[in-house]
Amino acid sequence: MENTKNIRNFVIIAHIDHGKSTLADRLLEVTGTVEARRMRPQYLDQLELERERGITIKMAPVRMSYVQDGEPYMLNLIDTPGHSDFSYEVSRALAAVEGAILLVDGAKGIQAQTLSNLRSARKAGLKIIGAVNKIDLLLPNLQKVIESVAELLDVTTEEIFKVSAKTGSGVTELLRAVIRDVPAPTGSKKETTALIFDSLYDEHKGIIAFVRLFSGSLRAGEEVYLRASHTRFKIKEVGSFMPQLKTIPSLSAGEIGYIATGLKETDLVKIGDTVAKDSTTASLTGYRDPAPVVFISFYPDGDTEFEVLLSSLSKLRLSDPALDVEPESNEALGRGLKIGFLGQLHFEITASRLRDEFGLDFITSFPSVAYRVKDGGREYTVKQAKDFPEHPDQVFQPIIKLEILTPSSYVNQVVGAKTLFSFEVIDIKNLGENVLMVARMPLAELLRDFDDYLKSITAGYASFNYELDGESLAEVQKLEILIAGDVVEALTRVVPRKDIEREARTTAEKLKELLPKQQFTQAIQARTGGKIIARETIAALRKDVTGYLYGGDRSRKMKLWKKQKRGKERLKETARVNLPVEVFRAILKK
Ligand code: GTP
């Protein structure tokens, strides 16, 4: 647009499942961006996995044209994910817009991610518009929810919009408020500066950078410069999100769109980098690097080669810069990659994408946090249990500050979980109908299905959010599992010393239940500090090695049957037991 006055850039932020993607559907409809016959629920969730799981993983930008009171507007919306593991996606979207719709489910009320997303939006200086969703449902507490959102935003209850993203009720009014209240972007026509807030890989056009232009303009054929990677290239194509990529002649100040770089080397295009025409232009403030908290090793398996695993991850990193990838090698498993994730769901989603979108086969290790170890005068960080020393002098573990938001009727149950998950409550305060509990907990405890446990003791009502909060001395020890006399490194983990006996016993028992029976008897042993402390035996004879796989994934079953054929010749295969994620989960569960 020639003039930025009629541009509005905004995001929808909310706790998971409060209806962001459905509200985005209605906005696409109201503005005629997507034809009614092409509309499908959660239209912006384009990844197959998002549709399968019903959750948003990736932010999704879309440009809408809308005429209100005779004035044409360009509305750039970015739909964002709701789960805390994807908060880095949200923070990147926030830096590209001027306003946010904070959407709260009228049945559930304010939840933990409502609070943390609001905090981030405020920090980014955005204009925030509050809306309560799902008013088509019978909502006995609607008025209370509206009051609590108004209080949170420090506005009157009349300023909170009541919408149904399902029926579309109240959506036009909400859009009117976006146009009225969200400030138009400012931007000069001079020096070009654009922030790369996301990217993806295209075989033909090279890396496609998603950009927000803060000043100047960009056109195909122009030569531009990437500030951080000092790379010059000629723009191959400029376009906008409809939401699919659509070529347009140019992008100007205040707009959101994409540029096709023609570059194929994934390291050159960095999210957070500034696109400029002149190498002397100052950089925009980029993004802080996300801090991975869970580390899991991936080793290629089956027909997958290490190089393919590595290049697939590099491509995935273009749209998911939170992935932290480091090569490593292991005697039994060969060359692999140690990958840092923002949480358990982030890991599961990445593993599924590598399998489904890239067709890869791999073995993963147990998730681990990073321990700082002092041992024999040396000090180092251990991110994998297999590297953990037998008798370290001192160990420090990462601690998180946990914010749990729960209806007051469940507060006793939540506090009651403190011995099980070793957390220390540091504050409890009332927040309307809810109680906000702040606690400190070892990060490692979060990996033990804390999320599931919390949901189960609060009938699904409590939600939580966390951030890293220093470290503390840890009384922990390495626990190894041996199957048929060989250490299965994927199962090695670090556990609290006080729990080691129990963990050893239950792990051996659970493995006996979960692992396929082979054609020979096998011992399962748990070892710590050189001593066997638990033992189980898997009986021989059952032929079905696929019993432990979920669902009816036939191609994976076929592969296993083939493996079984080779099984007798390759006894060592047991050391490489390809454990599905569910096995790790089952063992970790308290
Ligand atoms: P994430 O992106 O995964 O965080 O979820 P989301 O916030 O995008 O929520 P989504 O739009 O996927 O909606 C979650 C569920 O609520 C879906 O089953 C929707 O059909 C339902 N839903 C959303 N809006 C409404 C509404 O206004 N009324 C009713 N009855 N259901 C709704």
Side-chain angles (χ1 to χ4, degrees):
M1 259 189 176
E2 265 304 289
N3 194 330
T4 60
K5 144 174 129 20
N6 284 9
I7 301 176
R8 299 291 179 274
N9 300 316
F10 66 106
V11 290
I12 310 176
I13 49 174
H15 188 82
I16 194 161
D17 273 351
H18 282 207
K20 285 177 306 292
S21 306
T22 310
L23 177 61
D25 288 351
R26 296 295 83 74
L27 293 174
L28 295 177
E29 251 170 34
V30 169
T31 56
T33 309
V34 175
E35 282 175 65
R37 66 187 172 88
R38 287 172 173 259
M39 198 67 206
R40 53 178 192 178
Q42 283 100 34
Y43 190 89
L44 292 179
D45 285 347
Q46 304 268 350
L47 292 176
E48 209 172 291
L49 195 64
E50 291 182 312
R51 310 198 60 81
E52 229 171 68
R53 290 208 174 199
I55 54 168
T56 306
I57 298 162
K58 278 298 304 163
M59 67 169 113
V62 60
R63 174 183 288 198
M64 303 178 285
S65 301
Y66 187 57
V67 178
Q68 184 180 281
D69 305 331
E71 278 283 309
Y73 289 93
M74 177 199 288
L75 308 174
N76 292 304
L77 159 69
I78 306 181
D79 184 21
T80 62
H83 193 281
S84 55
D85 277 16
F86 304 109
S87 55
Y88 188 57
E89 286 286 313
V90 181
S91 71
R92 288 181 0 243
L94 297 180
V97 298
E98 281 79 26
I101 296 175
L102 181 77
L103 194 66
V104 176
D105 185 327
K108 298 229 169 94
I110 293 165
Q111 288 192 275
Q113 286 304 311
T114 317
L115 297 180
S116 70
N117 284 331
L118 173 63
R119 244 186 337 246
S120 312
R122 279 188 167 142
K123 224 185 258 169
L126 305 188
K127 168 71 196 174
I128 295 153
I129 299 172
V132 170
N133 189 27
K134 309 198 182 177
I135 56 157
D136 57 291
L137 299 173
L138 191 67
L139 300 171
N141 290 324
L142 179 62
Q143 198 48 37
K144 281 204 177 121
V145 173
I146 293 173
E147 281 164 20
S148 60
V149 178
E151 196 185 327
L152 186 67
L153 295 182
D154 206 12
V155 296
T156 62
T157 49
E158 288 72 45
E159 290 171 83
I160 303 299
F161 288 81
K162 294 177 266 307
V163 301
S164 165
K166 190 173 179 181
T167 66
S169 157
V171 171
T172 316
E173 291 76 4
L174 181 60
L175 198 54
R176 185 168 279 280
V178 168
I179 291 174
R180 188 192 60 213
D181 297 341
V182 173
T186 52
S188 75
K189 290 198 174 127
K190 290 193 201 118
E191 266 189 342
T192 295
T193 49
L195 172 72
I196 302 180
F197 64 90
D198 205 353
S199 61
L200 61 83
Y201 190 84
D202 184 281
E203 282 300 335
H204 308 292
K205 299 174 189 165
I207 296 161
I208 294 184
F210 293 18
V211 291
R212 156 71 201 263
L213 252 87
F214 282 90
S215 55
S217 64
L218 291 170
R219 270 175 194 282
E222 280 177 335
E223 196 172 79
V224 289
Y225 183 72
L226 293 176
R227 297 285 295 138
S229 68
H230 305 290
T231 307
R232 261 188 197 289
F233 66 92
K234 218 180 227 173
I235 299 178
K236 277 195 126 181
E237 181 183 310
V238 163
S240 65
F241 305 100
M242 297 309 292
Q244 58 284 358
L245 306 184
K246 181 172 175 270
T247 315
I248 51 170
S250 68
L251 280 170
S252 30
E255 296 185 14
I256 289 176
Y258 71 87
I259 54 173
T261 63
L263 300 168
K264 297 261 165 120
E265 275 171 75
T266 51
D267 285 349
L268 298 181
V269 182
K270 289 198 172 69
I271 286 174
D273 201 352
T274 303
V275 185
K277 284 186 187 161
D278 197 332
S279 56
T280 56
T281 305
S283 297
L284 296 163
T285 317
Y287 301 109
R288 68 176 169 82
D289 277 335
V293 293
V294 184
F295 299 88
I296 296 167
S297 295
F298 282 56
Y299 298 95
D301 194 29
D303 298 334
T304 299
E305 282 169 19
F306 174 79
E307 278 71 23
V308 180
L309 181 63
L310 184 62
S311 71
S312 305
L313 269 155
S314 303
K315 287 177 189 164
L316 211 52
R317 281 197 72 209
L318 281 173
S319 64
D320 188 357
L323 287 172
D324 179 70
V325 182
E326 248 180 78
E328 63 148 21
S329 68
N330 173 312
E331 220 175 279
L333 303 170
R335 278 205 292 170
L337 296 167
K338 181 159 58 205
I339 307 181
F341 298 94
L342 298 183
Q344 187 81 16
L345 182 66
H346 188 208
F347 155 61
E348 285 174 27
I349 292 291
T350 308
S352 299
R353 291 188 70 183
L354 287 172
R355 285 206 170 99
D356 302 344
E357 290 170 33
F358 295 87
L360 306 185
D361 225 346
F362 46 83
I363 293 172
T364 58
S365 70
F366 242 112
S368 175
V369 303
Y371 292 96
R372 191 162 65 86
V373 173
K374 286 189 179 172
D375 190 26
R378 279 204 317 137
E379 192 178 317
Y380 51 95
T381 305
V382 175
K383 292 178 182 171
Q384 275 186 304
K386 72 172 178 61
D387 300 332
F388 201 84
E390 292 296 348
H391 303 287
D393 299 333
Q394 260 185 334
V395 181
F396 297 87
Q397 64 177 341
I399 297 290
I400 54 172
K401 186 170 138 207
L402 190 63
E403 276 184 341
I404 302 177
L405 199 63
T406 175
S408 24
S409 49
Y410 292 105
V411 75
N412 287 340
Q413 282 90 325
V414 175
V415 173
K418 73 178 189 205
T419 18
L420 195 58
F421 285 92
S422 311
F423 61 75
E424 180 199 349
V425 179
I426 48 178
D427 192 22
I428 292 190
K429 57 177 170 241
N430 289 317
L431 212 79
E433 296 293 288
N434 287 315
V435 168
L436 179 68
M437 188 181 102
V438 183
R440 292 189 89 232
M441 180 169 97
L443 172 64
E445 295 285 340
L446 200 67
L447 307 183
R448 309 213 51 186
D449 249 350
F450 177 75
D451 197 357
D452 243 31
Y453 186 83
L454 188 67
K455 288 271 172 330
S456 71
I457 56 168
T458 61
Y461 281 112
S463 55
F464 74 95
N465 182 52
Y466 69 91
E467 58 184 32
L468 284 179
D469 190 26
E471 57 177 23
S472 75
L473 256 181
E475 297 286 321
V476 290
Q477 223 166 305
K478 175 156 89 173
L479 179 67
E480 288 175 317
I481 301 296
L482 292 82
I483 297 181
D486 287 326
V487 172
V488 182
E489 287 197 339
L491 287 174
T492 303
R493 84 202 141 101
V494 176
V495 291
R497 194 167 297 145
K498 66 178 172 48
D499 300 335
I500 199 143
E501 300 266 335
R502 193 188 64 225
E503 289 293 340
R505 218 169 36 243
T506 50
T507 304
E509 282 162 10
K510 282 183 187 166
L511 279 174
K512 182 180 177 182
E513 225 173 83
L514 293 162
L515 286 183
K517 292 188 167 103
Q518 302 279 353
Q519 292 113 310
F520 38 85
T521 309
Q522 294 179 76
I524 303 174
Q525 294 166 305
R527 183 170 76 184
T528 186
K531 273 195 303 201
I532 302 291
I533 56 169
R535 184 193 164 96
E536 289 285 337
T537 307
I538 311 185
L541 278 178
R542 225 182 88 193
K543 289 252 160 67
D544 184 9
V545 294
T546 63
Y548 69 106
L549 277 187
Y550 276 29
D553 183 345
R554 204 170 152 76
S555 63
R556 276 185 71 68
K557 283 192 174 177
M558 288 304 292
K559 258 188 202 164
L560 274 167
W561 278 318
K562 271 196 216 143
K563 257 190 190 169
Q564 188 186 28
K565 270 193 181 165
R566 287 184 284 131
K568 274 187 175 161
E569 306 131 43
R570 289 187 56 194
L571 262 177
K572 245 196 135 46
E573 191 82 352
T574 48
R576 297 180 55 105
V577 189
N578 192 348
L579 297 159
V581 175
E582 292 79 14
V583 172
F584 291 109
R585 255 219 158 146
I587 292 173
L588 281 180
K589 222 175 178 115
K590 293 212 184 190

